[in-house]
């Protein structure tokens, strides 16, 4: 018995020594995910990442990024340098459809086979390119106190600074899709004629409003801080940030008329160091309608699972778009945008730097 104990003791000691010699083997399992910071990250952490950590013991590290363009560029740089430290990054539909997407992202076809017969999930929730997180509106928002006689609720009214005077806020993101689409809508182009984008016409319309733009934002946090600081009276915002300001008791109003409907997706980085854990995190989300419902409520977003809506309060549903409003929203042409992103970025950078 003593001999067996001694063998067991020395075996355990040897194992412990090996673990100390290779710290990575003793570290907790983890996933590194990039996403927008601020209230967006806080919501993700509270309702998804913390419960996942508690259920699995896998640590989740969030790396904040200002937007998808920044995240995409950093992933590409990691792969080029051969030093990949992220596992998951945020992508939009256009980026996921881009011709070069799979140079930086893993193919999730095999992972997605388990969801092909899930009737509760929206079509295209799990694609080879990326997994759907939520769909949200980018729309017109305004300070109700600045417009006591009525605020701009359409794109043409947002451009009409004589009837609706006040400083505007607009995105400065290099992909330019929101700015150019909004400009064409303000110029009278119908939803079904927006794509391919008439770039020259859109920039001509943007020229008209440029003198009245007091804030060019590149992140959701800038939208919120700019509103709090009184840097603008009306402009373009993410509905998730509108909701955050509403919860603060801010006098914010919004309009779903002609809103743009975008989807946030999560892609797995090519060569991710914790791919197994990354897929576990995505599976945990897709298999949890309750979590999706809580996130949808916090962000005023549309979740991947229809079952998730049963976990959204009646009060929260009142701020979400109605079926009629959703049907009137603009869904950007992801394939055209993905194929023309470099051109759009170059044109935007040239214009904004003038």
């Amino acid at each position: 018995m003593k001999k067996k104990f001694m063998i067991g003791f020395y075996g355990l000691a040897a194992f412990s020594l090996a673990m100390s010699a290779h710290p990575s083997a003793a570290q907790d399992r983890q996933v590194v995910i990039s996403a927008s910071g601020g209230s967006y990250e806080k919501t993700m952490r509270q309702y998804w990442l913390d419960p996942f950590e508690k259920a699995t013991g896998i640590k989740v590290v969030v790396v904040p990024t200002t937007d998808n363009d920044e995240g995409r560029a950093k992933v590409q740089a990691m792969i080029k340098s051969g030093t990949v430290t992220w596992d998951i990054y945020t992508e939009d539909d256009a980026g996921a459809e881009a011709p070069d997407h799979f140079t930086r992202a893993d193919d999730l076809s095999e992972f997605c086979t388990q969801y092909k017969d899930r009737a509760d999930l929206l079509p295209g929730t799990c694609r080879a390119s990326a997994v759907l997180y939520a769909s949200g509106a980018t729309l017109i928002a305004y300070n109700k106190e600045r417009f006591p006689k009525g605020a701009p609720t359409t794109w043409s009214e947002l451009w009409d600074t004589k009837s609706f005077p006040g400083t505007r806020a607009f995105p400065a993101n290099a992909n330019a899709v929101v700015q150019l689409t909004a400009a064409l809508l303000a110029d009278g182009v119908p939803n079904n004629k927006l794509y391919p984008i008439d770039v020259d016409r859109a920039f001509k319309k943007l020229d008209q409003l440029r003198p009245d733009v007091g804030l060019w934002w590149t992140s959701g946090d800038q939208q919120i801080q700019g509103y709090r600081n009184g840097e603008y009276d009306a402009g373009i915002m993410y509905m998730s940030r509108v909701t955050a300001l509403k919860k603060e008791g801010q006098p914010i109003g919004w309009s779903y008329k002609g809103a743009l409907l975008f989807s946030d997706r999560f892609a797995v980085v090519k060569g991710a160091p914790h791919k197994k854990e990354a897929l576990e995190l995505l599976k945990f989300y897709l298999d949890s309608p309750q979590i999706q419902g809580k996130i949808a409520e916090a962000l005023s977003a549309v979740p991947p699972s229809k079952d998730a809506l049963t976990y959204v309060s009646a009060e929260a549903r009142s701020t979400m778009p109605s079926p009629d409003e959703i049907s009137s929203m603009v869904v950007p042409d992801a394939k055209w945008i993905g194929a023309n992103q470099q051109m759009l970025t170059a044109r935007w950078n040239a214009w904004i730097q003038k």
Side-chain angles (χ1 to χ4, degrees):
M1 178 66 72
K2 184 176 181 181
K3 183 177 180 181
K4 287 184 178 179
F5 171 78
M6 292 300 290
I7 291 172
F9 173 79
Y10 285 116
L12 180 61
F15 176 77
S16 299
L17 182 62
M19 290 298 100
S20 63
H22 300 282
S24 61
Q27 286 179 351
D28 291 337
R29 298 166 67 198
Q30 70 170 5
V31 182
V32 179
I33 179 172
S34 77
S36 180
S39 59
Y40 191 93
E41 179 187 342
K42 183 180 178 181
T43 296
M44 183 187 297
R45 171 62 66 185
Q46 180 179 355
Y47 296 120
W48 176 25
L49 305 185
D50 283 350
F52 174 77
E53 288 184 340
K54 186 176 180 180
T56 65
I58 299 172
K59 182 180 179 181
V60 183
V61 178
V62 179
V63 180
T65 51
T66 55
D67 57 24
N68 293 345
D69 294 330
E70 180 194 3
R72 196 180 301 123
K74 287 187 175 181
V75 168
Q76 202 75 57
M78 287 180 195
I79 293 172
K80 186 176 181 180
S81 69
T83 308
V84 176
T85 57
W86 293 1
D87 301 298
I88 298 173
Y89 69 103
T90 312
E91 191 53 281
D92 50 41
D93 281 331
E97 292 288 343
D100 63 345
H101 175 71
F102 288 108
T103 64
R104 55 183 167 268
D106 258 350
D107 188 327
L108 301 181
S109 297
E110 184 177 348
F111 170 77
C112 289
T113 55
Q114 63 190 299
Y115 297 106
K116 64 180 181 179
D117 297 323
R118 276 274 299 274
D120 64 303
L121 294 177
L122 296 175
T125 289
C126 196
R127 292 177 178 166
S129 55
V131 168
L132 179 63
Y133 178 57
S135 299
T138 297
L139 39 58
I140 297 169
Y142 50 86
N143 187 321
K144 292 191 286 188
E145 293 180 349
R146 306 287 177 85
F147 299 98
K149 296 182 180 180
T153 60
T154 67
W155 296 110
S156 60
E157 290 176 348
L158 188 66
W159 253 256
D160 185 357
T161 55
K162 289 184 179 180
S163 302
F164 304 93
T167 305
R168 304 307 198 236
F170 257 66
N173 306 86
N175 64 28
V177 174
V178 173
Q179 304 93 297
L180 298 180
T181 302
L184 291 179
L185 288 166
D187 207 33
V189 177
N191 289 14
N192 62 350
K193 300 291 184 182
L194 288 167
Y195 305 99
I197 292 176
D198 186 336
V199 178
D200 292 335
R201 179 176 176 178
F203 276 114
K204 186 177 179 180
K205 190 67 177 178
L206 281 170
D207 286 336
Q208 298 174 10
L209 192 64
R210 186 170 186 163
D212 296 289
V213 178
L215 174 66
W216 292 100
W217 55 259
T218 57
S219 71
D221 277 356
Q222 284 181 303
Q223 297 171 34
I224 288 179
Q225 291 299 334
Y227 183 94
R228 290 174 182 151
N229 297 338
E231 295 178 43
Y232 62 93
D233 305 304
I236 300 177
M237 292 186 70
Y238 302 145
M239 187 59 199
S240 59
R241 271 42 178 200
V242 171
T243 302
L245 288 167
K246 183 176 182 292
K247 288 180 178 178
E248 291 180 7
Q250 297 282 357
I252 191 164
W254 63 91
S255 171
Y256 281 116
K257 294 177 183 177
L260 281 69
L261 189 64
F262 289 98
S263 295
D264 277 349
R265 292 181 172 271
F266 286 117
V268 175
V269 181
K270 200 174 189 67
H274 311 100
K275 180 179 177 180
K276 181 176 182 293
E277 290 79 5
L279 294 178
E280 286 185 50
L281 178 61
L282 296 177
K283 178 175 172 57
F284 188 82
Y285 181 69
L286 292 180
D287 289 349
S288 308
Q290 186 172 4
I291 288 174
Q292 294 178 35
K294 290 178 178 178
I295 289 174
E297 176 162 343
L299 301 179
S300 289
V302 178
S305 173
K306 300 169 190 175
D307 293 346
L309 295 175
T310 62
Y311 300 101
V312 178
S313 68
E315 180 183 359
R317 285 199 295 270
S318 70
T319 66
M320 292 181 175
S322 67
D324 286 344
E325 287 171 327
I326 291 176
S327 66
S328 69
M329 288 184 185
V330 175
V331 179
D333 186 333
K335 287 189 176 181
W336 184 88
I337 294 166
N340 291 275
Q341 190 59 76
Q342 289 186 344
M343 177 272 291
L344 294 174
T345 299
R347 289 291 304 271
W348 174 257
N349 288 337
W351 184 83
I352 199 67
Q353 292 168 15
K354 287 195 299 185

Short mmCIF file of all heavy atoms in Angstrom, two decimals, residues 135-141 155 169-171 173 177-179 181-182 185 217 223 235-242 254-264 299-300 321 329-330 332:
data_model
loop_
_atom_site.label_atom_id
_atom_site.label_comp_id
_atom_site.label_asym_id
_atom_site.label_seq_id
_atom_site.Cartn_x
_atom_site.Cartn_y
_atom_site.Cartn_z
N SER A 135 -30.56 41.52 -35.08
CA SER A 135 -30.77 42.51 -36.13
C SER A 135 -31.35 43.76 -35.49
O SER A 135 -32.27 43.69 -34.68
CB SER A 135 -31.75 41.98 -37.19
OG SER A 135 -31.23 40.81 -37.80
N GLY A 136 -30.78 44.90 -35.86
CA GLY A 136 -31.23 46.14 -35.25
C GLY A 136 -31.33 47.26 -36.26
O GLY A 136 -30.74 47.21 -37.34
N ALA A 137 -32.08 48.28 -35.89
CA ALA A 137 -32.32 49.40 -36.79
C ALA A 137 -31.30 50.51 -36.57
O ALA A 137 -30.89 50.80 -35.45
CB ALA A 137 -33.73 49.95 -36.56
N THR A 138 -30.91 51.12 -37.67
CA THR A 138 -30.16 52.37 -37.65
C THR A 138 -31.12 53.41 -38.20
O THR A 138 -31.62 53.27 -39.32
CB THR A 138 -28.89 52.27 -38.53
OG1 THR A 138 -28.03 51.27 -37.98
CG2 THR A 138 -28.15 53.60 -38.57
N LEU A 139 -31.40 54.43 -37.41
CA LEU A 139 -32.55 55.29 -37.73
C LEU A 139 -32.35 56.74 -37.32
O LEU A 139 -31.28 57.12 -36.83
CB LEU A 139 -33.80 54.72 -37.04
CG LEU A 139 -33.69 54.15 -35.62
CD1 LEU A 139 -33.15 55.14 -34.61
CD2 LEU A 139 -35.03 53.61 -35.17
N ILE A 140 -33.39 57.53 -37.54
CA ILE A 140 -33.39 58.93 -37.15
C ILE A 140 -33.78 59.03 -35.67
O ILE A 140 -34.77 58.44 -35.25
CB ILE A 140 -34.39 59.74 -37.99
CG1 ILE A 140 -33.98 59.72 -39.47
CG2 ILE A 140 -34.49 61.18 -37.49
CD1 ILE A 140 -35.06 60.26 -40.40
N ALA A 141 -32.99 59.76 -34.90
CA ALA A 141 -33.31 60.02 -33.50
C ALA A 141 -33.14 61.51 -33.24
O ALA A 141 -32.41 62.20 -33.95
CB ALA A 141 -32.40 59.21 -32.59
N TRP A 155 -36.19 60.97 -43.83
CA TRP A 155 -34.86 61.39 -44.28
C TRP A 155 -34.91 62.76 -44.96
O TRP A 155 -34.01 63.59 -44.76
CB TRP A 155 -34.27 60.35 -45.21
CG TRP A 155 -34.02 59.05 -44.52
CD1 TRP A 155 -34.69 57.87 -44.70
CD2 TRP A 155 -33.07 58.80 -43.48
NE1 TRP A 155 -34.21 56.90 -43.86
CE2 TRP A 155 -33.21 57.44 -43.10
CE3 TRP A 155 -32.10 59.58 -42.85
CZ2 TRP A 155 -32.42 56.86 -42.10
CZ3 TRP A 155 -31.31 59.01 -41.85
CH2 TRP A 155 -31.47 57.66 -41.49
N ALA A 169 -26.14 64.88 -36.38
CA ALA A 169 -25.08 63.89 -36.11
C ALA A 169 -25.14 62.82 -37.18
O ALA A 169 -26.23 62.31 -37.49
CB ALA A 169 -25.26 63.28 -34.73
N PHE A 170 -23.98 62.47 -37.73
CA PHE A 170 -23.93 61.47 -38.80
C PHE A 170 -22.76 60.53 -38.58
O PHE A 170 -21.74 60.91 -37.99
CB PHE A 170 -23.75 62.17 -40.16
CG PHE A 170 -25.01 62.26 -40.96
CD1 PHE A 170 -26.08 63.01 -40.53
CD2 PHE A 170 -25.14 61.59 -42.16
CE1 PHE A 170 -27.24 63.11 -41.25
CE2 PHE A 170 -26.29 61.66 -42.91
CZ PHE A 170 -27.36 62.43 -42.46
N PRO A 171 -22.88 59.30 -39.07
CA PRO A 171 -21.75 58.37 -38.97
C PRO A 171 -20.61 58.78 -39.90
O PRO A 171 -20.85 59.36 -40.95
CB PRO A 171 -22.35 57.03 -39.41
CG PRO A 171 -23.53 57.39 -40.24
CD PRO A 171 -24.07 58.68 -39.68
N ASN A 173 -18.20 56.31 -40.42
CA ASN A 173 -17.60 55.01 -40.71
C ASN A 173 -17.22 54.91 -42.18
O ASN A 173 -17.97 55.30 -43.07
CB ASN A 173 -18.58 53.89 -40.36
CG ASN A 173 -19.05 53.99 -38.93
OD1 ASN A 173 -20.01 54.69 -38.64
ND2 ASN A 173 -18.38 53.31 -38.02
N VAL A 177 -22.02 53.03 -46.06
CA VAL A 177 -23.31 52.51 -46.53
C VAL A 177 -24.48 53.29 -45.94
O VAL A 177 -25.42 53.67 -46.66
CB VAL A 177 -23.45 51.01 -46.19
CG1 VAL A 177 -24.84 50.51 -46.54
CG2 VAL A 177 -22.40 50.21 -46.94
N VAL A 178 -24.44 53.54 -44.63
CA VAL A 178 -25.55 54.25 -43.98
C VAL A 178 -25.69 55.66 -44.56
O VAL A 178 -26.78 56.10 -44.92
CB VAL A 178 -25.33 54.32 -42.46
CG1 VAL A 178 -26.39 55.20 -41.81
CG2 VAL A 178 -25.38 52.92 -41.86
N GLN A 179 -24.57 56.38 -44.63
CA GLN A 179 -24.61 57.76 -45.09
C GLN A 179 -25.15 57.87 -46.52
O GLN A 179 -26.00 58.71 -46.82
CB GLN A 179 -23.20 58.38 -45.05
CG GLN A 179 -22.51 58.33 -43.71
CD GLN A 179 -21.62 57.10 -43.55
OE1 GLN A 179 -22.10 55.98 -43.57
NE2 GLN A 179 -20.32 57.33 -43.39
N THR A 181 -26.88 55.62 -48.31
CA THR A 181 -28.26 55.15 -48.43
C THR A 181 -29.23 56.21 -47.92
O THR A 181 -30.26 56.50 -48.55
CB THR A 181 -28.46 53.83 -47.67
OG1 THR A 181 -27.55 52.85 -48.18
CG2 THR A 181 -29.89 53.33 -47.82
N ALA A 182 -28.92 56.80 -46.77
CA ALA A 182 -29.77 57.85 -46.21
C ALA A 182 -29.88 59.03 -47.16
O ALA A 182 -30.95 59.62 -47.34
CB ALA A 182 -29.22 58.30 -44.86
N LEU A 185 -32.27 58.20 -49.98
CA LEU A 185 -33.65 58.22 -49.49
C LEU A 185 -34.14 59.65 -49.33
O LEU A 185 -35.27 59.99 -49.67
CB LEU A 185 -33.74 57.47 -48.16
CG LEU A 185 -33.61 55.94 -48.24
CD1 LEU A 185 -33.38 55.35 -46.85
CD2 LEU A 185 -34.85 55.32 -48.88
N TRP A 217 -19.72 60.68 -35.92
CA TRP A 217 -19.38 59.63 -34.98
C TRP A 217 -18.89 58.36 -35.67
O TRP A 217 -19.24 58.10 -36.82
CB TRP A 217 -20.56 59.31 -34.06
CG TRP A 217 -21.86 58.94 -34.73
CD1 TRP A 217 -22.94 59.74 -34.93
CD2 TRP A 217 -22.22 57.65 -35.29
NE1 TRP A 217 -23.95 59.06 -35.58
CE2 TRP A 217 -23.54 57.77 -35.80
CE3 TRP A 217 -21.57 56.42 -35.40
CZ2 TRP A 217 -24.21 56.71 -36.41
CZ3 TRP A 217 -22.22 55.36 -36.01
CH2 TRP A 217 -23.53 55.51 -36.50
N GLN A 223 -22.18 58.32 -30.05
CA GLN A 223 -23.57 58.75 -30.22
C GLN A 223 -24.17 59.15 -28.87
O GLN A 223 -24.82 60.20 -28.74
CB GLN A 223 -24.41 57.61 -30.81
CG GLN A 223 -24.00 57.15 -32.19
CD GLN A 223 -24.75 55.88 -32.57
OE1 GLN A 223 -25.89 55.66 -32.22
NE2 GLN A 223 -24.07 55.01 -33.30
N GLY A 235 -30.25 63.28 -35.60
CA GLY A 235 -29.25 62.61 -36.44
C GLY A 235 -29.51 61.13 -36.56
O GLY A 235 -30.58 60.63 -36.24
N ILE A 236 -28.48 60.43 -37.00
CA ILE A 236 -28.56 58.99 -37.20
C ILE A 236 -27.99 58.28 -35.98
O ILE A 236 -26.90 58.62 -35.51
CB ILE A 236 -27.79 58.57 -38.47
CG1 ILE A 236 -28.38 59.25 -39.70
CG2 ILE A 236 -27.80 57.06 -38.64
CD1 ILE A 236 -27.63 58.95 -40.99
N MET A 237 -28.73 57.29 -35.48
CA MET A 237 -28.28 56.54 -34.31
C MET A 237 -28.64 55.06 -34.45
O MET A 237 -29.52 54.70 -35.23
CB MET A 237 -28.93 57.08 -33.02
CG MET A 237 -28.48 58.46 -32.61
SD MET A 237 -29.16 58.95 -30.99
CE MET A 237 -28.25 57.85 -29.90
N TYR A 238 -27.95 54.24 -33.67
CA TYR A 238 -28.34 52.84 -33.53
C TYR A 238 -29.50 52.78 -32.53
O TYR A 238 -29.47 53.46 -31.49
CB TYR A 238 -27.20 51.98 -32.98
CG TYR A 238 -25.93 51.99 -33.78
CD1 TYR A 238 -24.69 51.91 -33.13
CD2 TYR A 238 -25.94 52.07 -35.17
CE1 TYR A 238 -23.51 51.89 -33.85
CE2 TYR A 238 -24.76 52.06 -35.89
CZ TYR A 238 -23.54 51.98 -35.22
OH TYR A 238 -22.36 51.97 -35.93
N MET A 239 -30.49 51.96 -32.81
CA MET A 239 -31.62 51.84 -31.89
C MET A 239 -31.17 51.35 -30.52
O MET A 239 -31.76 51.72 -29.49
CB MET A 239 -32.69 50.91 -32.47
CG MET A 239 -33.97 50.88 -31.65
SD MET A 239 -34.74 52.51 -31.51
CE MET A 239 -35.82 52.28 -30.10
N SER A 240 -30.13 50.53 -30.46
CA SER A 240 -29.62 50.05 -29.17
C SER A 240 -29.16 51.21 -28.29
O SER A 240 -29.36 51.21 -27.08
CB SER A 240 -28.47 49.07 -29.38
OG SER A 240 -27.40 49.67 -30.09
N ARG A 241 -28.57 52.24 -28.93
CA ARG A 241 -28.12 53.41 -28.16
C ARG A 241 -29.30 54.32 -27.80
O ARG A 241 -29.32 54.94 -26.74
CB ARG A 241 -27.09 54.19 -28.97
CG ARG A 241 -25.65 53.76 -28.78
CD ARG A 241 -25.44 52.28 -28.73
NE ARG A 241 -24.04 51.93 -28.61
CZ ARG A 241 -23.54 50.75 -28.91
NH1 ARG A 241 -24.34 49.79 -29.34
NH2 ARG A 241 -22.26 50.48 -28.76
N VAL A 242 -30.29 54.37 -28.68
CA VAL A 242 -31.51 55.12 -28.36
C VAL A 242 -32.15 54.53 -27.11
O VAL A 242 -32.57 55.25 -26.19
CB VAL A 242 -32.51 55.08 -29.54
CG1 VAL A 242 -33.85 55.66 -29.13
CG2 VAL A 242 -31.95 55.84 -30.74
N TRP A 254 -37.58 58.91 -31.66
CA TRP A 254 -37.01 58.22 -32.82
C TRP A 254 -38.09 57.92 -33.84
O TRP A 254 -39.28 57.99 -33.55
CB TRP A 254 -36.32 56.93 -32.39
CG TRP A 254 -37.23 55.91 -31.79
CD1 TRP A 254 -37.89 54.90 -32.44
CD2 TRP A 254 -37.60 55.79 -30.41
NE1 TRP A 254 -38.64 54.16 -31.56
CE2 TRP A 254 -38.48 54.69 -30.30
CE3 TRP A 254 -37.27 56.50 -29.25
CZ2 TRP A 254 -39.04 54.30 -29.09
CZ3 TRP A 254 -37.83 56.11 -28.05
CH2 TRP A 254 -38.70 55.02 -27.97
N SER A 255 -37.64 57.57 -35.03
CA SER A 255 -38.56 57.24 -36.12
C SER A 255 -38.04 56.02 -36.87
O SER A 255 -36.87 55.97 -37.26
CB SER A 255 -38.69 58.42 -37.08
OG SER A 255 -39.42 58.04 -38.24
N TYR A 256 -38.94 55.06 -37.09
CA TYR A 256 -38.57 53.87 -37.86
C TYR A 256 -38.81 54.07 -39.37
O TYR A 256 -38.53 53.16 -40.15
CB TYR A 256 -39.39 52.67 -37.40
CG TYR A 256 -38.88 52.03 -36.12
CD1 TYR A 256 -39.64 52.02 -34.95
CD2 TYR A 256 -37.63 51.41 -36.08
CE1 TYR A 256 -39.18 51.43 -33.79
CE2 TYR A 256 -37.16 50.81 -34.94
CZ TYR A 256 -37.94 50.82 -33.78
OH TYR A 256 -37.47 50.22 -32.64
N LYS A 257 -39.29 55.23 -39.76
CA LYS A 257 -39.58 55.48 -41.18
C LYS A 257 -38.28 55.42 -42.01
O LYS A 257 -37.37 56.22 -41.79
CB LYS A 257 -40.25 56.83 -41.36
CG LYS A 257 -41.64 56.93 -40.74
CD LYS A 257 -42.22 58.32 -40.89
CE LYS A 257 -43.58 58.43 -40.21
NZ LYS A 257 -44.12 59.82 -40.30
N GLY A 258 -38.22 54.48 -42.92
CA GLY A 258 -37.04 54.37 -43.77
C GLY A 258 -35.79 53.93 -43.04
O GLY A 258 -34.67 54.09 -43.55
N ALA A 259 -35.95 53.36 -41.84
CA ALA A 259 -34.79 52.91 -41.08
C ALA A 259 -34.05 51.80 -41.82
O ALA A 259 -34.64 51.06 -42.61
CB ALA A 259 -35.23 52.42 -39.70
N LEU A 260 -32.77 51.70 -41.56
CA LEU A 260 -31.96 50.65 -42.17
C LEU A 260 -31.84 49.49 -41.19
O LEU A 260 -31.54 49.70 -40.00
CB LEU A 260 -30.56 51.17 -42.52
CG LEU A 260 -30.43 52.00 -43.80
CD1 LEU A 260 -31.12 53.35 -43.66
CD2 LEU A 260 -28.95 52.22 -44.13
N LEU A 261 -32.08 48.28 -41.66
CA LEU A 261 -32.03 47.10 -40.81
C LEU A 261 -30.72 46.34 -41.07
O LEU A 261 -30.49 45.85 -42.17
CB LEU A 261 -33.22 46.19 -41.08
CG LEU A 261 -33.41 45.01 -40.11
CD1 LEU A 261 -33.69 45.52 -38.70
CD2 LEU A 261 -34.54 44.11 -40.58
N PHE A 262 -29.89 46.31 -40.05
CA PHE A 262 -28.60 45.63 -40.15
C PHE A 262 -28.54 44.46 -39.17
O PHE A 262 -29.20 44.48 -38.13
CB PHE A 262 -27.45 46.59 -39.82
CG PHE A 262 -27.19 47.63 -40.87
CD1 PHE A 262 -27.70 48.91 -40.72
CD2 PHE A 262 -26.44 47.34 -41.99
CE1 PHE A 262 -27.46 49.89 -41.67
CE2 PHE A 262 -26.19 48.30 -42.96
CZ PHE A 262 -26.71 49.58 -42.80
N SER A 263 -27.73 43.49 -39.52
CA SER A 263 -27.54 42.34 -38.63
C SER A 263 -26.10 42.30 -38.15
O SER A 263 -25.16 42.51 -38.93
CB SER A 263 -27.86 41.04 -39.35
OG SER A 263 -29.23 40.98 -39.68
N ASP A 264 -25.94 42.05 -36.86
CA ASP A 264 -24.61 41.77 -36.30
C ASP A 264 -24.43 40.27 -36.30
O ASP A 264 -25.32 39.52 -35.87
CB ASP A 264 -24.50 42.31 -34.88
CG ASP A 264 -24.14 43.79 -34.85
OD1 ASP A 264 -23.78 44.33 -35.91
OD2 ASP A 264 -24.23 44.39 -33.77
N LEU A 299 -31.47 45.76 -26.18
CA LEU A 299 -30.99 46.48 -27.37
C LEU A 299 -32.11 46.90 -28.32
O LEU A 299 -31.83 47.52 -29.35
CB LEU A 299 -29.98 45.61 -28.13
CG LEU A 299 -28.73 45.17 -27.37
CD1 LEU A 299 -27.86 44.29 -28.26
CD2 LEU A 299 -27.94 46.36 -26.86
N SER A 300 -33.35 46.55 -27.99
CA SER A 300 -34.47 46.78 -28.92
C SER A 300 -34.15 46.18 -30.29
O SER A 300 -34.30 46.83 -31.33
CB SER A 300 -34.78 48.28 -29.05
OG SER A 300 -35.36 48.77 -27.88
N PRO A 321 -39.92 47.73 -33.46
CA PRO A 321 -40.70 48.03 -34.67
C PRO A 321 -41.85 47.05 -34.87
O PRO A 321 -41.72 45.86 -34.58
CB PRO A 321 -39.67 47.92 -35.79
CG PRO A 321 -38.61 47.02 -35.24
CD PRO A 321 -38.54 47.33 -33.78
N MET A 329 -38.70 48.93 -43.76
CA MET A 329 -37.29 49.23 -43.54
C MET A 329 -36.45 48.86 -44.76
O MET A 329 -36.84 48.03 -45.58
CB MET A 329 -36.77 48.48 -42.31
CG MET A 329 -37.26 49.03 -40.99
SD MET A 329 -36.50 48.14 -39.61
CE MET A 329 -37.36 48.89 -38.24
N VAL A 330 -35.29 49.46 -44.83
CA VAL A 330 -34.34 49.17 -45.90
C VAL A 330 -33.38 48.09 -45.43
O VAL A 330 -32.74 48.23 -44.40
CB VAL A 330 -33.54 50.44 -46.29
CG1 VAL A 330 -32.47 50.09 -47.31
CG2 VAL A 330 -34.47 51.52 -46.80
N PRO A 332 -30.07 46.61 -46.56
CA PRO A 332 -28.99 46.85 -47.52
C PRO A 332 -28.60 45.59 -48.29
O PRO A 332 -28.67 44.48 -47.76
CB PRO A 332 -27.83 47.34 -46.63
CG PRO A 332 -28.52 47.96 -45.46
CD PRO A 332 -29.71 47.09 -45.20
#
